[in-house]
Each structure stands twice: as structure tokens, then as C-alpha cells.
Amino acid sequence: MTAHALNRRDLLKLSALGAAAVALPLERVVSAKSASRIASSKLPRPYTLPFKVPPVIKPVRSDATTDYYHIAQRTGVAEILPGVKTPVFGYEGISPGPTIRATRGREVVLRMTNELPARHPRWGYEAWTSCHLHGSASLPQYDGYASDITRPGQVKTYRYPNTQDARTLWYHDHGVHHTAENAYMGLAAQYHLVDPLEQSLPIPKGDYEAPLILTDKIFNSNGEFIYDDNGHSGLYGDVILVNGVPWPLMKVEQRKYRFRVLNASLARGFRLQLSTRDPMTVIGTDGGLMVRPQTTAQLRLGMAERYEIVIDFAKYKPGQRVELRNLGVKNSVDYDNTGKIMAFEVTGPAKSLADNAVSDPDGLLNPQAPAMDLAPAMAVQKRKLEVERKNGQWVISGTTWADVVKSDYRKVVAKPKLDTVEQWEIVNKSGGWFHPVHIHLVDFKIIERNGKAPFNYELGPKDVVYVGENETVKVLARFGPHKGRYMIHCHNLPHEDHDMMTQFEVVGDSEGEGDDPITSAPPYGIPDPLPDL
Ligand SMILES: [Cu+2]
């Protein structure tokens, strides 16, 4: 199936972007109408390939307090399109990488080796990496600080405290200036933190729970990925993958299922809707379970956002097919089949109806979610962040990562005091772009979107907020539990790499107390070389 020509509105939009952002040559715009160059006969028909779930990785050992993992970042060959070989960069050579399942209160020690080729075989850049566990309150030296790179042939050991509430996290590459290529090549995976509260709730688990990792890709005629970020504005693939499979079909029983939805695309936003237009129940956000479930028929999902949604298939007939569709968002380029994500086919009665609820009997999930207890009156400081394109550069409050590097990693846009609450207003001054803004370390509560209440499905702990065109959001966060410097950036990864990223520093009571050489002096030394194996 060939991607259709861009319609006139898209062309106008792209030319307008080109004029405003970079001088996008007309040839580039015209080539954008058919993203993949592989024969259309090689692309599967949507909803024909079976749904797959990434494997759960086992620890190499465990002791009384800690689970130890070894993961290698290396090249693999994936069969994403039937009969076509596609080189990927993967954790353990697979994409998405293996899921890590962690338990609250048990530390994870992750030995991450970079076994990637010294240079990307096609794109030529040095394949350095930095692993970020997105959603974890990690110490600065284990947070995947962009400039804290591990070069090919080096190893770094990360420690993850797992002291937070149960949640859907993801680990993905964050290496400075090549986060987009590395993540696009496949360095992304989920990480599930479980805890007794989440395990005790009668919500779907086990066979009735699955990750949905959404990405979009462009294929070259030889099966390799094409990377084209349109002059650092965004990459928009014509092939939608769920857990690495193009538009899969999942067989489901007549009952509730829980999906851990993650938008792992570089630049594509999604607006999810079921073909039946039935409501979905949202039970969790980036930082874990909501206070109480919310229902919505549509859900806007920016890059790096996670939503746990429950879909109830009980009322559909055996053989019935329900599609999960993408209605699209402003400023993501659509192709013939980017409106389709996956389909569910109902097989028949459920084998088990255990854990077939969306909350406890009182209608609650996690009434104690710490971020959700925050109130504007608790804020000791108010700040404003402006995300925009200025003089041809993506900036946050006028700063870029280059400014941070130039300052020897000292420059910060905010110095919140440890364990204090602040209210941040994030303003997108542009009508041409949306920016999912990620604040590392903290869970925040969205209290206002454009002067009104946030969407009901955003009423849970968050660490990324979709700041749409000309939108303003206000968030509250308690800054802790660690001191040190942490990144703030746009999760449109071409934006992040060029160079829409800055940092804040959590400091002690007296200014400068945060300057502990171990916890706040990036880029945290030189990783060890790989031992000869
Ligand atoms: Cu952005």
C-alpha cells in the first residue's frame, strides 16, 4: 500500500514549518508524501500479524535486597516486515528490549554494556549511549544524564532504588545528540515496578495485562530504517508498530484487559480511540495508579507519556473485531495507515474473571499517590518555562544543552530546595509545534491546562506533560528525594538532540550545598572498558 500524497493542508503546513523553522527544500516536502521506499507489497496488511509482547528478563542473581541484571546494547536483526531483515540497535539485540520487572523496596543493579559498533554503519555517528530509566527517582549519576556517555566498548553499572509507587517506567537511550537515532534504532523498553497495593487491587494482571509500546518507522527498499527528521523538526513514519509488530492483531477474551500504553515514537503524537467509540478506562499515568479511574473515549498521547488503560471486551461478540485507532494530532504527519494502531479479535468467554475490575470496591486505586496530595498553597516558589524555537534553535527559557555544556554543566534554569514544593508554568509560545516536556526526578500534578482543568485522564502523577500548540500548563512538584542536577527537555527527540534540553538543580538549605562531588558533578567520570570476554 503506497502512502497517499500529502494533502494540500499538509503541504501548506510543512511549507509554513519550513519557512518558520528551517528552509525545508521543496524536494524534501515532496518526498515526505511516501515515507517508506520499500515495495508496498512488502508491508503487511494491518491487523494480520499476531500481537507480541517483549520477553521479561531474568536477573543474573538476587540477594536479600537487590536484583542484578546484565544487559548488552548491541546490533540485532529483526524481522519486522515479513521476510524482510531490518538491522536494529537493541537492549540484548531486540527491539523493544526485554521488560524489567522490579519490586518496590528491592534495588535493581543493572550492568549495561555498550557493544554497539564504533560508528553507526549507515549514519556514521559514534554510537555512544546513556541509559535513562524514565519514571525513576534515580541518583544523578544513574539517571542517564545526556553527557554521561558510555562509548562503544565501555560498560556502566546503574543502580535503581525502586522506592516509588508501582508504575510503568521505560528505559531508553539518552546519549547526547544521538538520543533520537539510538531510540529510533530500537534502544527502548518497558520496566514495570510493582508493589503490594497494586498487586492487591482487583485490576487485570498476568495474562490480562500487556504493554503497548507504540513507535513509527520508515523503511528503505533494503529493509533498513530511514532516518529523516525534517531538519530536526520531527520524524514521522508511515508504519505503526506495537511492541515491534506492524499493526498487530491481538486475540482477547470477553473480559477486561489492562494495557500499559507507551508512546515511544520520536515525534508522533497519537489520539487513541476505539472503533466502537466505547470509552476506555484510564487507571494509571506516568507515575503510577491514579487516585480513581477515569473514563474517556479519546486520549491524546505525547511522546514518552504512559497511560494504563483498561478496555472491557465483555460486551463484544465472539469473532468481533475492535480496532484501536489513531485520530491524529496537530503537527504529526499522517499517512494512509497511521490512523490504525492495532486490532483486538474477541475469541469467546473469559477463562478467568479474576481481577476483572478497574478499582477497589470503593472506586479507589491509589488514594495516597504523593504527587496528587499537592496543592497550590504548598508552593514556596513559582517559575515559568518557555518552550519555543528562537533564532532557528529549539530552546527552553532561552537555554540549550550547548549552554549547559559550555558552563561546565553548572548552568541551571531553577534551583529548587530539597523537599519543597514548586509550581511551574510551562508555556508553548508556538502554534506550529507541540512539545511533550519531561522533568526528570519528580512526579508532578497537572493543575491547569490553558486556564482550565486538565483532561480527566491526566489526573494522576505525571512526569511528561503534552504542551500543545499555544498551550500553557501549570504543574506542582515536590523536589526530591535527591539533590543534584537533573534534565528538563522536550521529548520530541530530534528537538531534544538539537538542543531543547536544560537542567535544574535540587539544592540543600544553604545555596550550593548540593555541590556534592559524587551526586552533582556531571558527567560522572569515565565508564570502565569492557573486560575481555
Ligand atoms: Cu519539542
Side-chain angles (χ1 to χ4, degrees):
M1 224 157 300
T2 318
H4 70 76
L6 287 179
N7 65 32
R8 186 167 161 72
R9 187 185 59 92
D10 289 339
L11 278 170
L12 285 173
K13 194 170 70 186
L14 276 173
S15 334
L17 293 180
V22 286
L24 201 62
L26 189 62
E27 294 80 2
R28 298 282 292 284
V29 172
V30 171
S31 76
K33 70 188 170 186
S34 59
S36 286
R37 294 193 195 129
I38 197 162
S40 54
S41 60
K42 301 272 191 193
L43 296 180
R45 286 217 337 272
Y47 317 143
T48 55
L49 296 177
F51 178 76
K52 271 192 342 201
V53 171
V56 174
I57 190 169
K58 289 195 175 64
V60 289
R61 71 188 171 92
S62 295
D63 61 26
T65 60
T66 307
D67 298 310
Y68 300 82
Y69 291 88
H70 289 179
I71 291 182
Q73 301 163 340
R74 57 172 186 252
T75 303
V77 177
E79 187 176 333
I80 300 167
L81 307 176
V84 175
K85 291 190 169 22
T86 301
V88 299
F89 285 178
Y91 295 113
E92 292 294 277
I94 59 170
S95 177
T99 301
I100 295 175
R101 199 172 158 86
T103 306
R104 185 174 185 171
R106 288 186 61 74
E107 197 182 21
V108 161
V109 172
L110 172 57
R111 183 175 181 277
M112 185 70 89
T113 55
N114 183 340
E115 298 175 21
L116 294 169
R119 298 265 160 198
H120 188 287
R122 199 52 89 172
W123 308 331
Y125 69 90
E126 183 181 352
W128 63 50
T129 59
S130 178
C131 181
H132 172 52
L133 178 57
H134 186 141
S136 169
S138 304
L139 284 167
Q141 63 270 40
Y142 306 125
D143 194 45
Y145 194 76
S147 299
D148 182 29
I149 53 169
T150 304
R151 295 178 183 274
Q154 293 181 330
V155 57
K156 170 157 177 148
T157 300
Y158 293 86
R159 305 183 82 93
Y160 300 128
N162 300 319
T163 49
Q164 296 159 291
D165 287 344
R167 61 187 59 201
T168 302
L169 308 88
W170 64 304
Y171 60 104
H172 67 83
D173 194 62
H174 219 303
V176 65
H177 297 318
H178 298 296
T179 294
E181 292 102 319
N182 285 344
Y184 184 68
M185 281 299 289
L187 290 175
Q190 284 198 354
Y191 181 113
H192 302 163
L193 177 59
V194 301
D195 70 11
L197 170 70
E198 181 255 354
Q199 289 297 298
S200 71
L201 286 168
I203 54 178
K205 292 178 197 79
D207 291 344
Y208 301 110
E209 172 198 335
L212 299 184
I213 304 173
L214 312 184
T215 55
D216 56 338
K217 303 290 181 191
I218 310 174
F219 288 88
N220 210 339
S221 50
N222 61 1
E224 291 177 352
F225 293 139
I226 292 176
Y227 184 86
D228 180 358
D229 70 5
N230 297 296
H232 307 329
S233 58
L235 179 147
Y236 304 98
D238 54 345
V239 180
I240 304 293
L241 310 186
V242 180
N243 301 340
V245 180
W247 307 286
L249 177 69
M250 180 186 184
K251 306 236 172 176
V252 293
E253 301 167 8
Q254 290 168 308
R255 57 156 288 152
K256 294 187 177 72
Y257 283 71
R258 169 185 176 191
F259 298 102
R260 299 174 183 260
V261 186
L262 158 67
N263 180 356
S265 298
L266 302 194
R268 178 178 296 286
F270 290 88
R271 194 151 43 100
L272 308 181
Q273 188 182 64
L274 295 174
S275 52
T276 56
R277 304 190 181 210
D278 285 329
M280 302 172 278
T281 304
V282 183
I283 62 168
T285 51
D286 307 331
L289 293 170
M290 304 169 89
V291 173
R292 53 178 62 81
Q294 302 288 334
T295 56
T296 186
Q298 286 184 13
L299 191 153
R300 186 173 74 165
L301 182 69
M303 295 79 79
E305 285 189 291
R306 287 92 70 212
Y307 285 104
E308 293 192 25
I309 62 174
V310 173
I311 302 177
D312 192 352
F313 298 99
K315 68 182 216 187
Y316 306 125
K317 295 189 175 55
Q320 190 174 342
R321 190 174 273 197
V322 178
E323 292 174 42
L324 181 62
R325 290 184 179 153
N326 169 28
L327 301 180
V329 301
K330 272 207 268 181
N331 294 302
S332 286
V333 179
D334 296 322
Y335 296 101
D336 276 1
N337 284 326
T338 51
K340 301 182 171 75
I341 298 174
M342 65 179 292
F344 307 96
E345 191 174 283
V346 180
T347 54
K351 293 191 186 87
S352 162
L353 284 170
D355 295 328
N356 197 38
V358 295
S359 70
D360 74 9
D362 296 326
L364 293 171
L365 286 158
N366 185 8
Q368 313 292 330
M372 302 315 289
D373 276 343
L374 302 179
M378 297 160 75
V380 298
Q381 184 72 251
K382 288 185 180 175
R383 305 184 200 262
K384 186 169 166 178
L385 291 181
E386 292 178 334
V387 289
E388 60 181 326
R389 184 149 195 152
K390 212 175 195 172
N391 305 323
Q393 275 199 304
W394 301 112
V395 297
I396 298 179
S397 295
T399 64
T400 64
W401 195 249
D403 297 326
V404 172
V405 174
K406 217 181 303 167
S407 73
D408 195 23
Y409 307 100
R410 285 170 210 282
K411 187 181 182 76
V412 296
V413 293
K415 274 195 180 187
K417 291 208 189 317
L418 182 65
D419 288 329
T420 63
V421 177
E422 297 201 356
Q423 179 176 314
W424 288 14
E425 182 179 24
I426 308 171
V427 183
N428 180 354
K429 295 169 83 174
S430 151
W433 305 98
F434 68 97
H435 302 288
V437 174
H438 174 36
I439 305 174
H440 283 229
L441 180 68
V442 297
D443 290 347
F444 55 72
K445 175 186 185 181
I446 304 174
I447 54 170
E448 214 178 279
R449 181 178 277 291
N450 309 319
K452 297 188 211 132
F455 299 122
N456 71 332
Y457 54 80
E458 295 180 304
L459 297 173
K462 294 281 292 165
D463 55 40
V464 187
V465 58
Y466 193 123
V467 190
E469 293 77 358
N470 292 124
E471 290 188 346
T472 293
V473 298
K474 287 185 186 163
V475 306
L476 289 171
R478 184 182 297 280
F479 285 82
H482 310 302
K483 291 189 283 188
R485 292 171 219 167
Y486 289 92
M487 298 174 285
I488 307 169
H489 63 90
C490 176
H491 230 291
N492 176 320
L493 295 183
H495 293 189
E496 175 194 320
D497 279 340
H498 306 279
D499 202 20
M500 202 170 201
M501 181 157 69
T502 188
Q503 64 179 352
F504 63 98
E505 180 170 10
V506 180
V507 296
D509 279 339
S510 57
E511 194 97 337
E513 199 190 309
D515 289 337
D516 178 317
I518 294 169
T519 60
S520 64
Y524 314 116
I526 299 163
D528 299 324
L530 279 181
D532 291 329
L533 297 173

